[in-house]
Amino acid sequence: MTLFTADHRLDGGAGPTAVFVSALFAGGWIWDHPYQALSDAGWSVLRTNQPVCAVDSKVAGSIERLGDAMLAVCDAAGVEDLVVCANSLGGLVAIDLALRFPDRVRGIVVSGAPGLTADPDVGLSMDRRAGVKPSGPEFEARMMAALFHSGRHFSDEQLAETGTLLEQPNSMLSMARSLRATRSYPVQAALETVRCPSLYLWGRHDRMTPVDAWVDVVEAHPTSDMVLIEDCGHIPMLERGDEYSSHLARFMTKFASVPA
């Protein structure tokens, strides 16, 4: 069974570790900017390497099992207290971890989560006989338009890696099961129970998971804040890395003191 592996730098002193959760089909490289920025600022950091659709479909098809797999790599690394940072599908994993493990999850930072909007769509068909294939100019154009407000923020290597992954039948099965899990997960009920400090750090122009459905829900929650990043789409840690990392660093100061 394929589960997560992780990179980590755990020399940040007594504060909680910033744990960066995998997204649906982008690997740990989407976290390059905040991972480096927080590490440079003196925080311990950990990120998973595999995207969700690269892990076993039985795990990928359950928000709870994905969270358990995340905690397993934290346990293996000796990480106890977490600030969980997540994008897209990983956002539901972060919310669920905060709900189930309030003694370990000190805070969450969520971007582009599904669950309150229609299924994310990057122009791929689950029917392998039809739809846009995961390679070539049309695939790239559809994906970039869905994920970003403007520009191309995947390297050639990252785009090729994503396309190769999406050509695998097992990956498509994991993706389909993951999307099904987002439809059944009780997002609003979970949010009503989460009590840790929560930052919803969303691209103003997110086309995949539009922010409007989340604004009123988040603003009504007493321990949550919503911050919109202008001129930004679904992956703010890539499209607006400096701004994302700056907001994240300020949020981390709510917890233990940053080591000198």
Side-chain angles (χ1 to χ4, degrees), residues 77-155:
V79 172
E80 179 62 28
D81 293 332
L82 326 173
V83 174
V84 185
C85 310
N87 185 65
S88 195
L89 172 67
L92 297 187
V93 176
I95 292 167
D96 188 69
L97 285 171
L99 169 67
R100 293 192 293 135
F101 300 96
D103 293 339
R104 292 187 68 177
V105 178
R106 302 281 299 281
I108 60 174
V109 182
V110 174
S111 306
L116 296 183
T117 56
D119 285 351
D121 177 16
V122 295
L124 291 170
S125 172
M126 293 301 169
D127 183 349
R128 304 305 290 153
R129 297 167 298 177
V132 178
K133 301 303 180 184
S135 60
E138 186 180 0
F139 167 71
E140 178 179 337
R142 293 282 293 274
M143 178 172 280
M144 295 304 106
L147 294 178
F148 302 114
H149 176 57
S150 62
R152 180 186 192 269
H153 301 277
F154 283 11
S155 68

Coordinates of all heavy atoms in Angstrom, one line a residue, residues 77-155:
A77 N 8.4 11.0 12.5 CA 9.4 12.0 12.6 C 9.6 12.6 14.0 O 10.4 13.4 14.3 CB 9.1 13.2 11.7
G78 N 8.7 12.2 14.9 CA 8.7 12.7 16.3 C 8.1 14.0 16.5 O 8.4 14.7 17.4
V79 N 7.1 14.4 15.6 CA 6.4 15.6 15.7 C 5.1 15.4 16.5 O 4.3 14.6 16.2 CB 6.1 16.1 14.3 CG1 5.1 17.4 14.3 CG2 7.3 16.5 13.5
E80 N 5.0 16.2 17.5 CA 3.8 16.1 18.4 C 2.8 17.2 18.1 O 1.6 17.0 17.8 CB 4.2 16.1 19.9 CG 3.1 16.0 20.9 CD 2.3 14.7 20.7 OE1 2.8 13.7 20.3 OE2 1.1 14.7 21.1
D81 N 3.2 18.5 18.3 CA 2.3 19.6 18.1 C 2.4 20.2 16.7 O 3.5 20.4 16.2 CB 2.6 20.8 19.1 CG 2.4 20.3 20.6 OD1 1.5 19.5 20.8 OD2 3.1 20.9 21.5
L82 N 1.2 20.4 16.1 CA 1.2 20.8 14.7 C 0.4 22.1 14.5 O -0.5 22.4 15.1 CB 0.5 19.7 13.9 CG 0.6 18.2 14.3 CD1 -0.4 17.4 13.4 CD2 2.0 17.7 14.1
V83 N 0.9 22.8 13.5 CA 0.1 23.8 12.8 C -0.1 23.3 11.3 O 0.9 23.2 10.6 CB 0.7 25.2 12.8 CG1 -0.1 26.2 11.9 CG2 0.8 25.8 14.2
V84 N -1.3 22.8 11.0 CA -1.5 22.1 9.7 C -1.8 23.1 8.6 O -2.8 23.9 8.7 CB -2.6 21.1 9.9 CG1 -2.7 20.3 8.6 CG2 -2.3 20.2 11.0
C85 N -1.0 23.1 7.6 CA -1.1 24.0 6.4 C -1.5 23.2 5.2 O -0.8 22.2 4.9 CB 0.2 24.8 6.1 SG 0.9 25.6 7.6
A86 N -2.6 23.6 4.6 CA -3.1 22.7 3.5 C -3.8 23.5 2.4 O -4.4 24.5 2.6 CB -4.1 21.7 4.1
N87 N -3.7 22.9 1.2 CA -4.3 23.5 0.0 C -5.3 22.5 -0.6 O -5.0 21.3 -0.6 CB -3.3 23.9 -1.0 CG -3.8 24.6 -2.2 OD1 -4.4 25.7 -2.0 ND2 -3.7 24.1 -3.3
S88 N -6.4 23.0 -1.2 CA -7.3 22.1 -1.9 C -7.9 21.0 -1.1 O -8.3 21.3 0.1 CB -6.6 21.6 -3.2 OG -7.5 21.1 -4.1
L89 N -7.9 19.8 -1.6 CA -8.4 18.7 -0.8 C -7.8 18.6 0.6 O -8.4 18.2 1.6 CB -8.2 17.4 -1.6 CG -8.5 16.1 -0.8 CD1 -10.0 16.0 -0.6 CD2 -8.0 14.9 -1.6
G90 N -6.5 18.9 0.7 CA -5.8 18.9 2.0 C -6.4 19.8 3.0 O -6.3 19.5 4.2
G91 N -7.2 20.8 2.6 CA -7.9 21.7 3.5 C -8.9 20.9 4.3 O -9.0 21.2 5.5
L92 N -9.6 20.0 3.7 CA -10.6 19.2 4.5 C -9.8 18.3 5.5 O -10.3 18.0 6.6 CB -11.4 18.4 3.6 CG -12.4 19.1 2.6 CD1 -13.3 18.2 1.9 CD2 -13.1 20.2 3.4
V93 N -8.7 17.8 5.1 CA -7.8 17.0 6.0 C -7.4 17.8 7.2 O -7.5 17.3 8.3 CB -6.6 16.4 5.2 CG1 -5.7 15.6 6.2 CG2 -7.0 15.5 4.1
A94 N -7.0 19.0 7.0 CA -6.6 19.9 8.1 C -7.8 20.2 9.0 O -7.6 20.1 10.3 CB -6.1 21.2 7.5
I95 N -8.9 20.5 8.5 CA -10.1 20.7 9.3 C -10.4 19.5 10.1 O -10.7 19.6 11.3 CB -11.3 21.1 8.4 CG1 -11.0 22.5 7.8 CG2 -12.6 21.1 9.2 CD1 -12.0 22.9 6.7
D96 N -10.4 18.3 9.5 CA -10.7 17.1 10.2 C -9.7 16.7 11.3 O -10.1 16.3 12.4 CB -10.8 15.9 9.2 CG -11.4 14.7 9.8 OD1 -12.6 14.7 10.2 OD2 -10.6 13.7 9.9
L97 N -8.4 17.0 11.0 CA -7.4 16.7 12.0 C -7.6 17.6 13.2 O -7.5 17.2 14.4 CB -6.0 16.9 11.5 CG -5.5 15.8 10.5 CD1 -4.2 16.3 9.9 CD2 -5.3 14.5 11.3
A98 N -8.0 18.9 13.0 CA -8.2 19.8 14.1 C -9.5 19.4 14.9 O -9.5 19.5 16.1 CB -8.5 21.2 13.6
L99 N -10.4 18.8 14.2 CA -11.6 18.3 14.9 C -11.3 17.1 15.8 O -11.8 17.0 16.9 CB -12.7 18.0 13.8 CG -13.9 17.2 14.3 CD1 -14.8 18.0 15.2 CD2 -14.7 16.7 13.1
R100 N -10.5 16.2 15.2 CA -10.3 14.9 15.9 C -9.2 14.9 16.9 O -9.1 14.1 17.8 CB -10.1 13.8 14.9 CG -11.3 13.5 14.0 CD -11.1 12.2 13.2 NE -10.1 12.3 12.2 CZ -9.2 11.4 12.0 NH1 -9.1 10.3 12.7 NH2 -8.3 11.5 11.0
F101 N -8.2 15.8 16.7 CA -7.0 15.8 17.5 C -6.7 17.2 18.1 O -5.7 17.8 17.8 CB -5.8 15.3 16.8 CG -6.0 13.9 16.2 CD1 -6.4 13.7 14.9 CD2 -5.7 12.8 17.1 CE1 -6.6 12.4 14.5 CE2 -5.9 11.5 16.6 CZ -6.3 11.3 15.3
P102 N -7.7 17.8 18.8 CA -7.5 19.1 19.3 C -6.3 19.3 20.3 O -5.8 20.4 20.4 CB -8.8 19.4 20.1 CG -9.4 18.1 20.4 CD -9.0 17.2 19.3
D103 N -5.9 18.2 20.9 CA -4.7 18.4 21.8 C -3.4 18.4 21.0 O -2.4 18.9 21.6 CB -4.7 17.2 22.7 CG -5.8 17.1 23.7 OD1 -6.4 18.2 23.9 OD2 -6.1 16.1 24.2
R104 N -3.4 18.0 19.8 CA -2.1 18.1 19.0 C -2.1 19.2 17.9 O -1.1 19.8 17.7 CB -1.9 16.8 18.2 CG -1.6 15.6 19.1 CD -1.3 14.4 18.3 NE 0.0 14.5 17.6 CZ 0.6 13.6 16.9 NH1 -0.1 12.4 16.8 NH2 1.7 13.7 16.3
V105 N -3.3 19.5 17.4 CA -3.4 20.5 16.3 C -3.6 21.9 16.9 O -4.7 22.2 17.4 CB -4.5 20.2 15.3 CG1 -4.6 21.3 14.2 CG2 -4.3 18.8 14.7
R106 N -2.6 22.7 16.9 CA -2.6 24.0 17.5 C -3.3 25.0 16.7 O -3.8 26.0 17.2 CB -1.2 24.4 17.9 CG -0.4 23.5 18.8 CD -0.8 23.6 20.2 NE -0.5 25.0 20.7 CZ 0.8 25.4 21.0 NH1 1.8 24.6 21.0 NH2 0.9 26.6 21.4
G107 N -3.2 24.8 15.4 CA -3.8 25.8 14.4 C -3.9 25.2 13.0 O -3.2 24.2 12.8
I108 N -4.7 25.8 12.2 CA -4.8 25.3 10.8 C -4.7 26.5 9.8 O -5.2 27.6 10.2 CB -6.0 24.4 10.5 CG1 -7.3 25.2 10.7 CG2 -5.9 23.1 11.3 CD1 -8.6 24.4 10.3
V109 N -4.2 26.3 8.7 CA -4.1 27.3 7.6 C -4.6 26.6 6.3 O -4.0 25.7 5.8 CB -2.7 27.9 7.4 CG1 -2.7 29.0 6.3 CG2 -2.1 28.4 8.7
V110 N -5.8 27.1 5.8 CA -6.5 26.4 4.7 C -6.6 27.3 3.5 O -7.0 28.5 3.7 CB -7.8 25.9 5.2 CG1 -8.6 25.3 4.0 CG2 -7.7 24.9 6.3
S111 N -6.3 26.8 2.3 CA -6.5 27.5 1.1 C -7.3 26.6 0.1 O -7.0 25.4 0.0 CB -5.2 27.9 0.5 OG -4.4 28.6 1.3
G112 N -8.2 27.2 -0.6 CA -8.8 26.5 -1.8 C -9.5 25.1 -1.5 O -9.4 24.2 -2.3
A113 N -10.1 25.0 -0.3 CA -10.7 23.7 0.1 C -12.0 23.5 -0.7 O -12.8 24.4 -0.9 CB -10.9 23.7 1.6
P114 N -12.3 22.2 -1.1 CA -13.6 21.9 -1.7 C -14.6 21.7 -0.5 O -14.3 21.9 0.6 CB -13.3 20.6 -2.4 CG -12.2 20.0 -1.6 CD -11.4 21.1 -1.0
G115 N -15.8 21.2 -0.9 CA -16.8 20.8 0.1 C -17.9 21.7 0.1 O -19.0 21.3 0.5
L116 N -17.8 23.0 -0.2 CA -18.9 23.9 -0.2 C -19.3 24.4 -1.6 O -20.1 25.2 -1.8 CB -18.6 25.2 0.7 CG -18.4 24.9 2.2 CD1 -18.1 26.2 2.9 CD2 -19.6 24.2 2.8
T117 N -18.5 23.9 -2.6 CA -18.8 24.2 -4.0 C -18.8 23.0 -4.8 O -18.6 21.9 -4.3 CB -17.6 25.1 -4.5 OG1 -16.4 24.5 -4.3 CG2 -17.6 26.5 -3.8
A118 N -19.1 23.1 -6.1 CA -19.1 22.0 -7.0 C -17.7 21.4 -7.1 O -16.7 22.0 -6.7 CB -19.6 22.4 -8.4
D119 N -17.6 20.1 -7.6 CA -16.4 19.4 -7.7 C -15.3 20.3 -8.5 O -15.7 20.9 -9.5 CB -16.5 18.1 -8.5 CG -17.2 17.0 -7.7 OD1 -17.3 17.3 -6.4 OD2 -17.5 16.0 -8.2
P120 N -14.1 20.4 -8.1 CA -13.1 21.0 -8.9 C -13.0 20.4 -10.2 O -13.1 19.2 -10.4 CB -11.8 20.8 -8.0 CG -12.2 20.5 -6.7 CD -13.6 19.8 -6.8
D121 N -12.7 21.3 -11.2 CA -12.6 20.8 -12.6 C -11.4 21.4 -13.3 O -11.3 22.6 -13.4 CB -13.9 21.3 -13.4 CG -13.9 20.9 -14.8 OD1 -13.1 20.0 -15.2 OD2 -14.7 21.4 -15.6
V122 N -10.5 20.6 -13.7 CA -9.4 21.0 -14.5 C -9.5 20.6 -16.0 O -8.5 20.5 -16.7 CB -8.0 20.6 -13.9 CG1 -7.8 21.3 -12.6 CG2 -7.9 19.1 -13.8
G123 N -10.7 20.2 -16.4 CA -10.9 19.8 -17.8 C -10.5 18.3 -18.1 O -10.3 18.0 -19.2
L124 N -10.3 17.5 -17.1 CA -10.0 16.1 -17.3 C -11.3 15.3 -17.1 O -12.0 15.5 -16.2 CB -8.9 15.6 -16.3 CG -7.5 16.2 -16.4 CD1 -6.7 15.9 -15.2 CD2 -6.9 15.7 -17.7
S125 N -11.4 14.3 -17.9 CA -12.5 13.4 -17.8 C -12.1 12.1 -17.1 O -11.0 11.6 -17.3 CB -13.1 13.0 -19.2 OG -14.0 12.0 -19.1
M126 N -13.0 11.6 -16.2 CA -12.7 10.4 -15.5 C -12.8 9.2 -16.5 O -12.3 8.1 -16.2 CB -13.6 10.2 -14.3 CG -13.4 11.1 -13.2 SD -11.7 11.1 -12.5 CE -11.7 12.6 -11.5
D127 N -13.5 9.4 -17.6 CA -13.5 8.4 -18.6 C -12.3 8.5 -19.5 O -12.1 9.5 -20.2 CB -14.8 8.6 -19.5 CG -15.0 7.6 -20.6 OD1 -14.0 6.8 -20.8 OD2 -16.1 7.5 -21.2
R128 N -11.4 7.6 -19.5 CA -10.1 7.7 -20.2 C -10.3 7.6 -21.7 O -9.3 7.9 -22.4 CB -9.2 6.5 -19.7 CG -9.0 6.5 -18.2 CD -8.4 7.8 -17.7 NE -7.1 8.1 -18.1 CZ -6.6 9.3 -18.3 NH1 -7.3 10.3 -18.0 NH2 -5.3 9.4 -18.6
R129 N -11.5 7.3 -22.2 CA -11.7 7.3 -23.6 C -12.1 8.7 -24.1 O -12.2 8.9 -25.3 CB -12.9 6.3 -23.9 CG -12.6 4.9 -23.6 CD -13.8 4.1 -23.6 NE -14.8 4.5 -22.7 CZ -16.1 4.0 -22.5 NH1 -16.4 3.0 -23.3 NH2 -16.9 4.5 -21.7
A130 N -12.3 9.7 -23.3 CA -12.7 11.0 -23.7 C -12.0 12.1 -22.9 O -11.3 11.8 -21.9 CB -14.2 11.1 -23.6
G131 N -12.3 13.3 -23.2 CA -11.8 14.4 -22.4 C -10.4 14.8 -22.8 O -9.8 14.2 -23.7
V132 N -9.9 15.7 -22.1 CA -8.5 16.2 -22.4 C -7.5 15.3 -21.8 O -7.5 15.0 -20.6 CB -8.3 17.7 -21.8 CG1 -6.9 18.2 -22.1 CG2 -9.4 18.6 -22.5
K133 N -6.5 14.9 -22.6 CA -5.5 14.0 -22.1 C -4.5 14.8 -21.3 O -4.2 16.0 -21.6 CB -4.8 13.3 -23.3 CG -5.8 12.4 -24.1 CD -6.5 11.4 -23.3 CE -7.5 10.6 -24.1 NZ -8.3 9.6 -23.3
P134 N -3.8 14.2 -20.3 CA -2.9 14.9 -19.4 C -1.5 15.2 -20.0 O -0.5 14.9 -19.4 CB -2.8 14.0 -18.2 CG -3.1 12.6 -18.7 CD -4.0 12.8 -19.9
S135 N -1.5 15.7 -21.2 CA -0.2 16.1 -21.8 C -0.6 17.0 -23.0 O -1.7 17.0 -23.5 CB 0.6 14.9 -22.3 OG -0.2 14.2 -23.3
G136 N 0.4 17.8 -23.4 CA 0.2 18.6 -24.6 C -0.3 20.0 -24.3 O -0.7 20.3 -23.2
P137 N -0.3 20.9 -25.3 CA -0.7 22.3 -25.1 C -2.1 22.5 -24.6 O -2.3 23.4 -23.8 CB -0.6 22.8 -26.5 CG 0.4 21.9 -27.3 CD 0.1 20.6 -26.7
E138 N -3.1 21.6 -25.0 CA -4.5 21.8 -24.6 C -4.6 21.5 -23.1 O -5.2 22.3 -22.3 CB -5.4 21.0 -25.3 CG -6.9 21.3 -25.0 CD -7.9 20.4 -25.7 OE1 -7.5 19.6 -26.6 OE2 -9.1 20.6 -25.5
F139 N -3.9 20.4 -22.7 CA -3.9 20.1 -21.2 C -3.3 21.2 -20.4 O -3.8 21.6 -19.4 CB -3.1 18.8 -21.0 CG -2.8 18.5 -19.6 CD1 -3.8 18.1 -18.7 CD2 -1.5 18.5 -19.2 CE1 -3.5 17.8 -17.4 CE2 -1.1 18.3 -17.9 CZ -2.1 17.9 -17.0
E140 N -2.1 21.7 -20.9 CA -1.5 22.7 -20.1 C -2.3 24.0 -20.0 O -2.5 24.6 -19.0 CB -0.1 23.1 -20.8 CG 0.6 24.2 -20.1 CD 1.9 24.6 -20.7 OE1 2.5 23.7 -21.4 OE2 2.4 25.7 -20.5
A141 N -2.9 24.4 -21.1 CA -3.7 25.6 -21.1 C -4.9 25.5 -20.2 O -5.3 26.4 -19.4 CB -4.2 25.9 -22.6
R142 N -5.6 24.3 -20.2 CA -6.8 24.1 -19.4 C -6.4 24.1 -17.9 O -7.1 24.7 -17.1 CB -7.5 22.8 -19.8 CG -8.1 22.8 -21.1 CD -9.4 23.5 -21.2 NE -10.5 22.9 -20.4 CZ -11.3 21.9 -20.8 NH1 -11.1 21.4 -22.1 NH2 -12.2 21.4 -20.1
M143 N -5.3 23.4 -17.6 CA -4.9 23.3 -16.2 C -4.4 24.7 -15.7 O -4.8 25.1 -14.6 CB -3.7 22.3 -16.1 CG -3.2 22.2 -14.6 SD -2.1 20.8 -14.4 CE -3.2 19.5 -14.2
M144 N -3.6 25.4 -16.4 CA -3.1 26.7 -16.0 C -4.3 27.7 -15.8 O -4.3 28.5 -14.8 CB -2.1 27.3 -16.9 CG -0.8 26.5 -17.1 SD 0.1 26.2 -15.5 CE -0.3 24.5 -15.2
A145 N -5.3 27.7 -16.7 CA -6.4 28.6 -16.6 C -7.3 28.2 -15.3 O -7.8 29.1 -14.7 CB -7.3 28.5 -17.8
A146 N -7.3 26.9 -15.0 CA -8.1 26.5 -13.8 C -7.4 26.8 -12.5 O -8.0 27.2 -11.5 CB -8.4 25.0 -13.9
L147 N -6.1 26.7 -12.5 CA -5.4 26.8 -11.2 C -4.9 28.2 -10.9 O -4.8 28.5 -9.7 CB -4.1 25.9 -11.3 CG -4.4 24.4 -11.4 CD1 -3.1 23.6 -11.5 CD2 -5.2 23.9 -10.2
F148 N -4.6 29.0 -11.9 CA -4.0 30.3 -11.6 C -4.8 31.5 -12.2 O -5.5 31.3 -13.2 CB -2.6 30.3 -12.2 CG -1.7 29.2 -11.7 CD1 -1.2 28.2 -12.5 CD2 -1.3 29.2 -10.3 CE1 -0.4 27.2 -12.0 CE2 -0.5 28.1 -9.8 CZ -0.1 27.1 -10.7
H149 N -4.7 32.6 -11.5 CA -5.3 33.8 -12.0 C -4.6 34.3 -13.3 O -5.3 34.7 -14.2 CB -5.2 34.9 -10.9 CG -5.8 36.2 -11.4 ND1 -7.0 36.4 -11.9 CD2 -5.2 37.5 -11.5 CE1 -7.3 37.6 -12.2 NE2 -6.1 38.3 -12.0
S150 N -3.3 34.2 -13.3 CA -2.6 34.5 -14.5 C -1.2 33.9 -14.5 O -0.7 33.6 -13.4 CB -2.4 36.1 -14.7 OG -1.7 36.6 -13.6
G151 N -0.7 33.6 -15.6 CA 0.7 33.1 -15.7 C 0.7 31.6 -15.6 O -0.3 30.9 -15.5
R152 N 1.9 31.1 -15.7 CA 2.2 29.6 -15.7 C 3.2 29.4 -14.5 O 4.4 29.8 -14.6 CB 2.9 29.2 -17.0 CG 3.3 27.7 -17.2 CD 4.0 27.6 -18.5 NE 4.2 26.2 -18.9 CZ 5.3 25.5 -18.6 NH1 6.2 25.9 -17.7 NH2 5.4 24.2 -19.0
H153 N 2.7 28.7 -13.5 CA 3.5 28.6 -12.3 C 4.0 27.2 -12.0 O 4.4 26.9 -10.9 CB 2.7 29.2 -11.1 CG 2.4 30.6 -11.3 ND1 3.3 31.7 -11.0 CD2 1.3 31.2 -11.8 CE1 2.7 32.8 -11.3 NE2 1.5 32.6 -11.8
F154 N 3.8 26.3 -13.0 CA 4.5 25.0 -12.9 C 5.7 25.0 -13.8 O 5.6 25.6 -14.9 CB 3.5 23.9 -13.4 CG 2.4 23.5 -12.5 CD1 2.2 24.1 -11.3 CD2 1.7 22.3 -12.8 CE1 1.2 23.7 -10.5 CE2 0.7 21.9 -12.0 CZ 0.4 22.6 -10.8
S155 N 6.8 24.4 -13.4 CA 7.9 24.2 -14.3 C 7.6 23.1 -15.3 O 6.6 22.4 -15.2 CB 9.2 23.8 -13.5 OG 9.0 22.5 -13.0

